[in-house]
Each structure stands twice: as C-alpha cells, then as structure tokens.
Amino acid sequence: MADEPKPPAPAHAPPKAAAPAGPTEPAPPADLAQPAYLATLSAEVPGSVTAVSYFVGDWTIVVPVAQLLGVACHLRDAPDAAFDCCSDVTATDWPPRAERFDVVYCLYSTRHRHRIRVKVRAAELQPVPSVTGIWSGANWLEREVFDMFGVNFTGHPDRRRILMPDDWQGYPQRKDYPLEGPGELLMENPIDWLKLRQAREEADIE
Amino acid sequence: MIDQFVIPLLKIVVVLNATLLGVTYMVLLERKVIAWAQSRLGPMRVGPYGILQPVADAVKLMIKEDITPVRADKWVFTAAPIISMVPALIVYAVIPFGPTIHLFGRPVSLYIADVNVGLLYIVSVASVGVYGIILAGYASNSKYPLLASLRASAQLISYEVAVTLTLVSVILMARSLSMVSIVNAQYNAGVWFAFVQPVAFVIFFIGGLAETNRAPFDLPEAEQELTGGFHTEYSGMRFALFFLAEYANMIVVSSVATTLFFGGWLRPFPNVAALHFLDVVPSWMWFLVKSFVFLYIFIWVRATLPRYRYDQLMRIGWKLLIPLAIANLVVTGIVKVLIG
Amino acid sequence: MGQAIAFYTLAAFILGFAVLVVSTKDTVHSVLFLVLDFLFVAALYVLLGAPFLAAIQVLVYAGGIVVLYLFVVMLVNLKRPPEAHQDPHRRTKLGFGLAVAVLLELGAIATYGMTRTGSPLVVPGTNGPLPGNTEQVGWLLYTSYLIPFEIASMLLLVAMIGAIVLAKREL
Amino acid sequence: METPAVHHGAMFDTNELVINMGPQHPSTHGVLRVVLRLDGEKVVDADVVIGYLHRGIEKLSENRNWTQIILLTDRMDYVAAATNNVGYCETVEKLMSIEVPRHARYVRTILCELQRIASHCLWVGTHAMDIGAMTVFLYAFRERELILDLFEEFCGARLTYNSMRIGGLPLDIPPGWDKKVLEFCMIMGSKVDEYEELLTHNRIWLERTKGIGIISGPDAVALGLSGPPLRGSGVPRDVRKDEPYAAYDEMTFDVPVGSAGDTYDRYLVRMEEFRQSLRIIRQATEGIPEGPIVGKVPRLIKPPAGETYHAIESPKGELGYFIVSDGKSTNPYRFRVRPPSFCNLQGLRALIRGHLVADVVALIGSLDVVLGEVDR
C-alpha cells in the first residue's frame, strides 16, 4: 500500500532511485458488485481480507499471513467459492518495503469457472505457511518461489531448491540480484562482492 | 582323407563366412525394410542404394575406441561378447541347408554334421548363449545393464521352456532328433509340419522372437527404458559382436523354423509329381527363400508393434505359451498313439 | 590311445575347474568355472558315446540351473567384509572327515565296478530294437529305472512347491 | 544394491536399487532426471529433479522491453512457440486494454491450432516410441513437417516463430496460405486415422497404457494438472471454452474428456484433440474476416501500472502469464509464467509410484512435458 511507512533500504539493495514501493492495487469501481464469495469469506473468516482490488477484470484480495491457511481452506471448501485448483503460486519482490514479498496465489474453480488472486505480504524471513496441504499442486510452485525469492515457507513437505542447484547462494528473482548472475566472487564471498559492486557504481556516477 | 577333413573344413569355412556375411547384410536389410515401412529411404550413401553400408559399419566399429569401464570386471567384460557370439555360430553345424548332392562326382552333403541329437544340440547350445547377456550386464558394473541382464535371464529361461516343449511335439511327429531326419519325415509325410502342428509353430515363432530379444520382446535392450540395456557400456567391436550375435540368432531361429515346420530344403508339395518343374530351383535355394521370409517377418514385426512390459512378457510366457505347448504336446501324443 | 589322451585331458580340466570353483574369491567367477566344468563333463559324455546325455547336461545344468545360480549370486550382495568370513561355527575337522568319507565311498564304488564285469548301465538282452542312444536312455528310464525316475520327479515337484511357498509373500 | 533393506515380513530381504533416469536418457524428453528407488523393477518412490535447462527467462524478461519478450517466450515450449507468443501478447493486451482486430484474432486461432497439432504430432511420435512403436514416430514427424512448412511460409521460421505482436500480427497471411491450410487439414484427417490404426486397438498398446498411472478427476485438479492429463481424468476443463480468447468464442468444437484417467485415456483425449483442432482450423480459415492486422497500439509500449494473470490453453495445458507493470519503465516489473509442463510434471511422482520401470517412460510420455518450459 502506498501509505505504508517505508523502511530504509537494506544495505545491499541497489540504490535505484525510483524503485516502486509496491503494486498498484486499484479498488474496484463503485458500480461493480463484488463477487458473492468475497462477502461470505469476510463473514466466515473475520478480519481476513485487508484489501480488495479489481484491475482489467481480475479480482485480488490481500490477506494477512496469519490468516492465509484459514482463507485458503475457506476458499477451497465454501460451496460458492470452490476454488479447487491452485493454478499458480508466485511472488513479487518490492525491495524498499519492509514486507518485501507479495506472495501471490492464483486460484481457479473448475466448478464455477472463476478466478481470484490471493496475496500475502511477507518480510524476508517471515514464515509463510505452506498451502501444500490444501492444494497438493502448490508443492512445486512453492518450491520455486522459495528457490527464486527465498520466501520462508513453513510446513512444506519438501522444501528444497527446484530449478537452481542445491548449493546455490542467493535468490535469483529478487530485485537486488544482478541479471548477469553472481559471478564467482558472490558465490564465494558475498561481502567482498558487495563492496566491489558499490565501488563500481560509485565510479559510474563520477 | 578328403572326405574326412578337407570337405568338412571347406564346409565350415563356407557356412561361417556365409553366415557372417548374411548377418552383416541382415543389418542393412533391417534398416532398409524398416525405412520402407516408415516411408523413408534408409541408408543410401555408401554404394548404390547403400549396399556397401555394412562395410562402412564394420570399418567404423573396428576403428572405434574400445572402452572398458574402470570398475568393470575386465575378464568377464571381455568374455561376454565372445560367449554370446560363439553359440550363435556353432549352431550352424547341424542345420541342413540341403540334401546330399553330387559335386565334381563326389557326394557332398549340404550340412556340416548330421548328429542324431541335432535338435537337442541346437537347444542346448542356444541355452548357453544367455550367459553372454547376463555376464555383460554383470561385468559392466552399471545399473541399467544389470537390470537388463536380470530381465534377459528371466526372459530367456522362461521362453526356452515353451520353445523346447514345442520341439518335443515335432520330435514326436518325426520320431527323430536329427535335423536331416526331420526334413525327411516331412517328405515322407507329404506335408510340412507347420500344417500338422500349427500351434507348435506359432509358439515356436513367438518364443523365437523372445529368445532373440526382438520386438515386441526386446526388453533386455529396450533403448527407451534401459538406455541400450546390457550393452550400454560396450563400444567398438565388442558391441559389434553382441549385435552380430543377435542377428545370427535371428538367422538360426529362421533356419530352425524352416527346417522343423516348413520342410527345410524341400520344394512346396514335394510329393506332387506335377510340380516337378519347381526342381529347377536348387534345394538350398528353397531353404534360403523360406528362411528369408521368416527374417522379413522378424523385421516387419519390429516396425509395427510396441513393446511388451516385463511382467506382461513373463505372463505370456508362463501362463499362455507354456500351458498351450504342454496341451499341444499331450494332444499330439494322444493322437499319435491312437493313429499309431 | 587317442581316447585315453582325450579322457585324461578332459579329466584334468574338470578337476582343475572344480578346484577353481571352490577356491575363487569372486562368487560370479566361481559360478562361471562351474559352467565350464559342466561343459567339460558334457564333453566327457560325448567321449563315452552318450551324446544325448551330453546335450541334456549342457541344456539343463549349464544352460538352466547355473543361470539361476548366477541370477541369485548377482542379486544377493555377497561382498561382505572379510571378518564376516570368519565363521565361529566353522568345523574344519568335521568337513575334512566328511570329505574323506565321501572319497572312501567313491573309491569303494570304483573298485566294486572294476571287479564286476560289464557295465551296470547297459541292461543286457533288452527286448525291442534300440538303435540310438536317445532311445536307449528312454527305454531304461521307463523300464528298469521307472521308480527312481518317478521318485525324482516327485521330489522336484515338492521342491518347486516348497520354493513357491517360501518365496510368495502372501498366498 | 543400495542401502536400506525392505522388510516384507518374510525371511527374505531385498535391497532397493536406486537408479538415475536422466538427465541424459533417451526417453526423458530432454534433461529431466528421475531418481527411481526400485524394488526389483517396481518403483517404490521417485524424485523428479528438474532445472537442467533453466535459463532464467523470467529474470531476463524483467530486463527486456515489452516487445523483446515475445522472442523469449518462443524458447519456453519450443515445440509450440506460437501459443506461447499468443499467450504473452494477450496478457499485455489485457493489461493495456487493447482491442485486437477480428482478422488478427482469427489468424491467431489458426496458428494456435496448427501449433497444437504440431505439438501433438511430436507427442504421439515420442510417446509411441517410448512404448516401442517406432513407426508412428516417423509418420507423425512427416505430418509435423507440413505444419512447419506452413509456419515457415507465414513467418519465415520453423521452430521459434516470434510470430505475434502486441495488438495483433506482425504481417498478414501470405496469399494462398489459407488454401494450403485447408489442404493440410484434408491430409491430416486421414493421417490421424492412420496413427489410430497402428495404436488404438493394438493389443500391446492397450496392455501398456490401460490402467497405467490412474489419477482421479479431483486429485488431478488438486495436483494442478491441466490440459489433456486433466481432461483424461474426466474434468471438462479447457481454457478455450471456459475463458475464451482469440476467436475461440466464435468457433464450435467439443472438448474431449476421458473417464478412467489412465494413460490410454490421455492418449485418446489427445487423438480426439487432433480432430477438434482440425475442425477449428477449417472454421477459422473458411470464415476469416477482412480487416487490419494490428489494433490501436501506442508506438511505445508501456502498460499502465497494475498486474494481471491471463491463461490460454497451450497444447500442454493451461499456460498462464502473471505480469506486473510499474507503469514507468519499458520493461515489466515482474514477469511470471505458469508453465503447464511444470505443473503436469509435478504429478509424475504420484503417477509412477507402484508401477514398473517401463511404465515410467510411458507416463513421462503421457504427461507430454517439454523441459524448456518446465525449467524456463
């Protein structure tokens, strides 16, 4: 959210001037009725939905991390929601923000044929409960998010890296991870690497 | 002297060379036939229509590096291809390619030896060939070959039982174990045994497919499952020996099928005098033509059918072929006793 | 003369391989020597004018039974540490005693056979024309040796059923 | 000959054999690695290891501008590049609310369906090859060649097409192309029958595929399967029908579903999809409207800030793109692909447990994964 207090950027974050603070989550237009299952959700799991957003036809709800499992269970089991398929789990990294990760669950209902995105915000080491117990298909998807972002999933049956080698250092999809890869220095000595990088950037500015 | 040593030696040289040449050209034939089945051309580059391809293959295989894996059992690893090749070749000793003919005024029989346990000899020698595969899998010290060799030993032993049982029904018909006598028995009976023993023939042929590791029973070398099976770790000439042994075995099975069920060197309807003009074709030619038909079927089957799974293969062997073969044997015996 | 040379050569090979079978460390090699041994025994049968027996020897023993041995040996992990071979229950003396007893028995049989005239296997004056070796074996099995033959087949059947009962996880 | 002994309660212990299938193996369709724990030939458990083809397409895309990404999407499911292009372009169009002209939507539909047939050709060939029927492979590739020729005529490339632009098409179909497509439809119809003749009622094929890798509909949904593996389990889910894109809302076609959820049903579903695709291509080619090929697209593509998820039905299943734009830069802030092969491959472990080694290759084939897409 735009009005959230911005914590100071972590020491190793790139000093990008205009890093966006977070996604734009436009509220639904006033003349658009919210889907019924959202009302049921708010009623059954109180305090679960902190924000509802609507953009180019997609509904998104933001959920506190603590409520994630409750919301997920409700969304799967409530007859008017019936989101039996977790079609995607992914994350977005917003580095300046304290809760830097948006973990996004794209849900789909094969019965009602509707979609919803559920979002939780998580800090770097904050545990996020795994939804693998609710949708078994989330297993690999969460592993990928863990692999790429380092989101701390808890209760995951098999939390290993999936795409990168097991001994890989760093999380490639984070915004402060260089595109060209870490190079050997980062692999062996991340602190020296950061110093070298900062020196280079300073040289660039001068 | 000449009759005792020179002629048999000459015969051995001729048969051995013809076999090896035939085997190499079997490879070309297979590639060509499968290519035609799959609407492509097959080898076309070496010689006109690729007929020199076997030469190129042989040269390539000979000059290839011969690798022995570090942790392999070296002696066994080297012996395995030889063990699989030798039985495939010495079986030809008792296969009759034709009757006794007169060559330069001297009677020459178109077989190396007529042993009175000829059929048993073939079966027993063939049963030793399985060691080549088992040992190759064991000696490679690698998991895929090991799995393949386990499959192979189980498969070959199971199908050997069925095949041997069908042979017994043929022996009952011919009252002899000698290959030459079996052909003569078919001449005397005036009918090829395939028409008297159709069940035995079908079981024999299916068993033959399985014993030579051919599709749809090519599990020990199923490339898609076991990356080449028992010869995964082999290269160069040692690999070539396995390859040659497989094709030599195919020729053996075809020859035995011809001899036992399709009258060997006999022309069609050997007792019908009206078809006497067929005798312009020499007897060994009939034998080769009949064997060739079987070889063609071998290749044809490979181009058409998917592969069985291991357990299905064993089920077919034990629950279908062996009971059928036993039933066939019993019926043959009863009929034999009743008719006399 | 030639026959004698052939026999003693074969016998030497048979004995040599037999020794190798029991003395080789690697079990698979040991099984392989056993196969070679069987093949030479088959050759001995040929020398004695029994081609049928020779073929059966190769087919059943070399080609069938030993393959199963090999199968088992390859599957069962026999590469144990050396101390496992030091069996506390080893009874060397008993083993030697048994070996000597068997040797004596064999010697006794041999001398008994030498003193008797005529081979016990060939039944003299059998009725019916029996031209070939195969036919002779068949005839003997179904006349003089019918009961041992049947008992042997019963034994094999029992062994087969027993193996199935032991190996099958649930019946 | 590996470590833990399995106790069957009887006096016989057997050792588990751990074998590595892949990453270099003829039937893992690329660089998939499956670590199998075997009891004899029976699979006790399996670990599916991926990532050998990971090229960081997502990361790379976040540093490329919106048009350049189309080229990267080609490299994901490289046997069905056109559907990847369509999926990406439609997502950006959705983000920017661009109206695509009807003509372009029709051409997209034709290309997508041609691509589906090409992909299924590759699948039927390799699947049959894995089970040992080698002839089908060459037959299927013969027909795939015809499709590649059509694509070559349309966009000049045979494998990675780069055949879409945001807002429409890069170029109009060449004159006479639609005739050739219809001609191809006629040829292909009989060829599908030919494949079926070789396989569908073949006893060995039936024995190898029936009852292998059964997964029930609800399980398949929960596992996130999509596309033919899901429809083989009897769930009539097809993005083309449920959330129509391109010109699918104007086409009439059926969604084939299986009932048993085994390898054979997945096979039947795909075989029927051949025919349905041909049906769609015929309708689209015959009814192709006149009109512009590109809609109103700004010169500099810079979608407004926001995020969206859009899915299409690729030959392998639901191919989704989740794209976040920050509204300021000319590249996406977050580019995420929901690869159908990845999610389908996840089901492999559940499917192969308890089957034999030979079934493992059959099941990998029946899921129809492309490792380029799994690893991205």
Side-chain angles (χ1 to χ4, degrees):
Chain A
M1 284 299 204
D3 54 354
E4 269 181 13
K6 278 182 205 168
H12 57 279
K16 240 185 184 175
T24 51
E25 280 159 356
D31 54 339
L32 194 69
Q34 282 191 12
Y37 56 84
L38 282 186
T40 335
L41 175 67
S42 310
E44 299 258 321
V45 193
S48 59
V49 182
T50 55
V52 179
S53 137
Y54 178 83
F55 182 67
V56 292
D58 298 358
W59 287 95
T60 307
I61 57 172
V62 181
V63 169
V65 174
Q67 299 270 28
L68 175 62
L69 286 186
V71 170
C73 268
H74 174 84
L75 285 180
R76 186 191 61 179
D77 298 331
D80 58 347
F83 288 104
D84 48 0
C85 175
C86 176
S87 66
D88 198 7
V89 178
T90 183
T92 317
D93 185 22
W94 305 93
R97 213 172 62 185
E99 295 175 313
R100 64 185 287 180
F101 299 121
D102 273 348
V103 183
V104 184
Y105 301 85
C106 301
L107 307 182
Y108 180 77
S109 161
T110 51
R111 196 190 314 161
H112 302 299
R113 312 217 156 133
H114 52 212
R115 287 184 186 278
I116 192 173
R117 276 202 302 279
V118 178
K119 231 186 231 185
V120 297
R121 305 237 155 100
E124 186 163 353
L125 294 171
Q126 188 183 351
V128 177
S130 165
V131 295
T132 307
I134 296 162
W135 297 285
S136 48
N139 187 332
W140 276 24
L141 296 162
E142 283 182 349
R143 270 176 75 186
E144 191 183 336
V145 173
F146 165 71
D147 187 9
M148 290 293 152
F149 291 91
V151 172
N152 183 10
F153 285 109
T154 51
H156 191 280
D158 185 26
R159 204 185 76 169
R160 284 177 294 154
R161 284 195 177 268
I162 186 163
L163 292 177
M164 307 302 283
D166 283 338
D167 53 355
W168 194 262
Q169 303 214 342
Y171 300 98
Q173 284 281 9
R174 288 189 180 181
K175 284 289 167 185
D176 49 9
Y177 189 93
L179 174 66
E180 66 273 15
E184 278 177 23
L185 192 58
L186 174 63
M187 297 291 290
E188 286 160 11
N189 192 345
I191 297 162
D192 279 3
W193 174 79
L194 275 172
K195 279 183 193 152
L196 184 76
R197 191 181 140 128
Q198 250 160 5
R200 263 194 212 144
E201 272 168 4
E202 277 160 22
D204 277 353
I205 294 163
E206 282 160 16
Chain B
M1 186 65 193
I2 288 181
D3 278 340
Q4 256 197 318
F5 290 105
V6 178
I7 290 181
L9 261 178
L10 275 179
K11 281 198 280 195
I12 290 174
V13 169
V14 168
V15 168
L16 212 58
N17 281 307
T19 309
L20 288 175
L21 194 74
V23 165
T24 47
Y25 271 88
M26 262 309 288
V27 180
L28 179 67
L29 180 78
E30 166 147 48
R31 288 174 70 178
K32 278 287 186 190
V33 170
I34 289 188
W36 293 329
Q38 293 167 345
S39 65
R40 54 193 176 93
L41 291 172
M44 289 293 281
R45 294 304 172 102
V46 192
Y49 295 97
I51 54 165
L52 294 180
Q53 185 69 36
V55 181
D57 284 347
V59 170
K60 183 199 78 175
L61 285 166
M62 272 183 224
I63 60 179
K64 266 208 156 177
E65 189 189 355
D66 199 5
I67 301 167
T68 309
V70 178
R71 296 188 62 196
D73 190 331
K74 293 211 174 46
W75 284 102
V76 182
F77 190 77
T78 313
I82 302 169
I83 296 176
S84 73
M85 187 71 195
V86 169
L89 287 182
I90 57 176
V91 165
Y92 289 97
V94 294
I95 289 176
F97 298 94
T100 307
I101 56 167
H102 288 272
L103 217 60
F104 308 117
R106 190 180 279 282
V108 176
S109 51
L110 290 182
Y111 40 83
I112 295 174
D114 179 22
V115 194
N116 72 359
V117 289
L119 201 49
L120 215 53
Y121 168 83
I122 291 177
V123 175
S124 60
V125 169
S127 74
V128 174
V130 63
Y131 280 107
I133 292 173
I134 300 181
L135 293 177
Y138 166 77
S140 301
N141 201 1
S142 168
K143 285 171 186 171
Y144 283 112
L146 183 73
L147 269 183
S149 71
L150 294 182
R151 283 182 174 189
S153 41
Q155 173 179 338
L156 296 189
I157 291 180
S158 318
Y159 277 79
E160 212 173 80
V161 178
V163 166
T164 313
L165 282 172
T166 61
L167 296 185
V168 177
S169 351
V170 173
I171 295 167
L172 276 185
M173 301 291 298
R175 291 170 177 275
S176 171
L177 284 166
S178 149
M179 299 292 271
V180 177
S181 318
I182 291 173
V183 175
N184 287 333
Q186 293 180 64
Y187 181 81
N188 294 335
V191 60
W192 293 350
F193 283 162
F195 300 107
V196 197
Q197 290 281 357
V199 180
F201 168 65
V202 170
I203 296 173
F204 177 83
F205 194 72
I206 295 174
L209 282 174
E211 284 226 46
T212 46
N213 298 330
R214 292 287 303 184
F217 305 108
D218 53 346
L219 303 175
E221 46 194 284
E223 189 184 279
Q224 286 82 14
E225 294 154 26
L226 301 177
T227 63
F230 58 87
H231 53 57
T232 304
E233 305 286 348
Y234 280 86
S235 63
M237 217 41 216
R238 283 190 257 193
F239 167 74
L241 280 182
F242 278 121
F243 215 65
L244 295 181
E246 182 186 325
Y247 285 91
N249 277 326
M250 271 165 69
I251 299 182
V252 168
V253 171
S254 309
S255 313
V256 174
T258 305
T259 311
L260 298 189
F261 295 102
F262 284 87
W265 67 75
L266 300 175
R267 66 171 163 86
F269 305 104
N271 305 346
V272 180
L275 292 171
H276 205 63
F277 63 91
L278 285 173
D279 282 338
V280 288
V281 181
S283 55
W284 52 271
M285 199 65 202
W286 283 115
F287 181 86
L288 291 187
V289 167
K290 289 174 195 170
S291 304
F292 181 82
V293 171
F294 285 115
L295 290 173
Y296 182 81
I297 296 174
F298 266 94
I299 298 169
W300 181 17
V301 165
R302 181 172 172 207
T304 312
L305 293 181
R307 179 183 303 119
Y308 268 113
R309 210 173 53 203
Y310 178 66
D311 58 328
Q312 293 163 348
L313 170 101
M314 295 309 263
R315 205 180 56 222
I316 293 170
W318 286 101
K319 295 196 177 166
L320 185 70
L321 294 190
I322 292 178
L324 253 182
I326 291 175
N328 186 57
L329 179 61
V330 170
V331 171
T332 309
I334 292 172
V335 170
K336 204 75 190 155
V337 167
L338 289 183
I339 297 175
Chain C
M1 183 61 197
Q3 273 222 332
I5 294 172
F7 171 76
Y8 283 114
T9 323
L10 286 177
F13 269 114
I14 291 169
L15 281 179
F17 283 127
V19 169
L20 280 174
V21 170
V22 289
S23 62
T24 318
K25 284 260 164 61
D26 189 325
T27 331
V28 171
H29 289 182
S30 170
V31 174
L32 285 183
F33 286 127
L34 192 63
V35 177
L36 282 175
D37 218 28
F38 283 147
L39 293 183
F40 276 99
V41 170
L44 204 60
Y45 285 139
V46 174
L47 197 68
L48 293 173
F52 178 80
L53 265 188
I56 291 293
Q57 166 86 5
V58 175
L59 176 64
V60 174
Y61 287 97
I65 290 176
V66 183
V67 173
L68 295 179
Y69 281 9
L70 203 57
F71 202 90
V72 172
V73 166
M74 273 161 60
L75 278 183
V76 178
N77 194 1
L78 288 171
K79 287 186 182 110
R80 277 177 296 176
E83 59 266 23
H85 289 292
Q86 287 162 3
D87 188 2
H89 304 292
R90 200 173 197 172
R91 290 177 184 160
T92 322
K93 278 181 196 157
L94 184 67
F96 270 114
L98 280 176
V100 168
V102 170
L103 209 66
L104 281 176
E105 193 183 342
L106 282 176
I109 292 172
T111 41
Y112 177 69
M114 291 285 210
T115 50
R116 261 182 60 148
T117 45
S119 169
L121 266 180
V122 179
V123 181
T126 41
N127 24 354
L130 294 170
N133 177 261
T134 317
E135 289 85 341
Q136 278 179 15
V137 171
W139 182 264
L140 283 176
L141 275 185
Y142 281 97
T143 51
S144 329
Y145 297 98
L146 182 64
I147 290 169
F149 179 72
E150 289 298 330
I151 289 174
S153 51
M154 277 310 288
L155 245 158
L156 285 177
L157 187 66
V158 168
M160 208 155 77
I161 292 170
I164 292 171
V165 170
L166 283 176
K168 188 105 177 148
R169 280 163 205 167
E170 71 277 339
L171 276 175
Chain D
M1 317 264 126
E2 298 303 305
T3 35
V6 195
H7 295 275
H8 295 298
M11 60 189 92
F12 297 101
D13 290 348
T14 48
N15 282 340
E16 275 184 8
L17 179 71
V18 176
I19 67 169
N20 244 320
M21 208 171 208
Q24 276 86 39
H25 188 282
S27 38
T28 53
H29 297 215
V31 288
L32 175 66
R33 176 172 158 224
V34 188
V35 183
L36 297 171
R37 282 176 43 214
L38 301 180
D39 173 19
E41 284 222 15
K42 203 165 155 199
V43 179
V44 179
D45 202 355
D47 186 17
V48 182
V49 183
I50 59 172
Y52 292 92
L53 209 58
H54 178 58
R55 292 151 295 171
I57 286 183
E58 289 182 10
K59 181 86 176 170
L60 209 53
S61 301
E62 289 163 19
N63 293 274
R64 293 284 179 278
N65 74 35
W66 294 89
T67 324
Q68 287 170 326
I69 294 171
I70 302 172
L71 211 119
L72 289 173
T73 60
D74 277 341
R75 270 81 184 162
M76 291 189 315
D77 184 354
Y78 41 75
V79 298
T83 41
N84 296 351
N85 297 157
V86 170
Y88 169 70
C89 291
E90 295 212 330
T91 315
V92 180
E93 284 150 13
K94 184 176 170 191
L95 208 54
M96 297 174 73
S97 311
I98 294 173
E99 181 84 14
V100 181
R102 201 154 157 257
H103 175 75
R105 286 195 283 127
Y106 265 71
V107 176
R108 279 183 179 183
T109 311
I110 298 170
L111 291 181
C112 277
E113 292 308 312
L114 280 177
Q115 191 68 86
R116 188 181 314 278
I117 294 176
S119 171
H120 280 9
C121 274
L122 188 120
W123 160 79
V124 75
T126 50
H127 187 36
M129 183 92 153
D130 287 345
I131 297 185
M134 58 193 295
T135 301
V136 183
F137 176 76
L138 285 130
Y139 284 1
F141 268 57
R142 182 181 64 194
E143 273 72 69
R144 183 168 173 264
E145 202 67 11
L146 299 175
I147 302 175
L148 297 191
D149 288 345
L150 288 173
F151 269 104
E152 190 180 10
E153 204 177 330
F154 173 71
C155 65
R158 290 170 68 83
L159 195 66
T160 48
Y161 305 123
N162 194 11
S163 61
M164 288 297 146
R165 293 295 176 269
I166 293 162
L169 307 167
L171 40 137
D172 205 350
I173 52 171
W177 191 74
D178 46 348
K179 296 257 173 355
K180 286 184 189 161
V181 170
L182 288 176
E183 212 172 286
F184 164 77
C185 288
M186 256 173 55
I187 299 171
M188 190 68 206
S190 61
K191 297 296 180 190
V192 176
D193 297 341
E194 198 172 288
Y195 309 154
E196 287 225 68
E197 222 165 81
L198 272 168
L199 299 176
T200 305
H201 300 296
N202 185 323
R203 285 190 65 111
I204 304 180
W205 182 261
L206 288 171
E207 287 213 32
R208 285 301 303 277
T209 55
K210 274 216 160 174
I212 303 299
I214 297 176
I215 186 159
S216 71
D219 281 353
V221 171
L223 255 176
L225 300 190
S226 56
L230 180 61
R231 292 194 282 274
S233 299
V235 181
R237 156 118 178 85
D238 189 324
V239 185
R240 293 175 294 176
K241 273 268 192 241
D242 300 344
E243 299 154 280
Y245 57 96
Y248 286 109
D249 46 350
E250 298 172 37
M251 306 291 152
T252 44
F253 63 98
D254 301 323
V255 177
V257 288
S259 51
D262 56 3
T263 304
Y264 186 64
D265 276 19
R266 291 190 275 273
Y267 157 80
L268 286 182
V269 163
R270 287 201 182 88
M271 291 320 266
E272 185 54 32
E273 280 188 18
F274 270 119
R275 302 209 170 84
Q276 295 300 331
S277 288
L278 288 173
R279 202 170 144 198
I280 297 172
I281 295 174
R282 275 202 206 96
Q283 288 170 45
T285 319
E286 278 159 5
I288 195 162
E290 293 296 318
I293 55 168
V294 187
K296 285 204 182 80
V297 183
R299 282 184 74 88
L300 181 67
I301 293 170
K302 200 192 225 181
E307 56 184 40
T308 191
Y309 176 88
H310 178 68
I312 64 159
E313 184 77 19
S314 93
K316 315 281 188 287
E318 177 187 333
L319 170 67
Y321 287 88
F322 174 72
I323 298 182
V324 182
S325 164
D326 58 4
K328 284 178 244 160
S329 52
T330 52
N331 44 341
Y333 185 79
R334 172 83 176 104
F335 176 85
R336 153 79 185 166
V337 187
R338 187 257 186 211
S341 297
F342 181 87
C343 298
N344 288 350
L345 189 59
Q346 186 172 199
L348 183 64
R349 185 176 171 203
L351 291 183
I352 60 183
R353 220 176 279 162
H355 284 297
L356 300 177
V357 178
D359 297 326
V360 174
V361 296
L363 284 166
I364 294 174
S366 118
L367 287 176
D368 189 20
V369 292
V370 166
L371 269 294
E373 188 180 56
V374 172
D375 296 341
R376 303 182 297 291

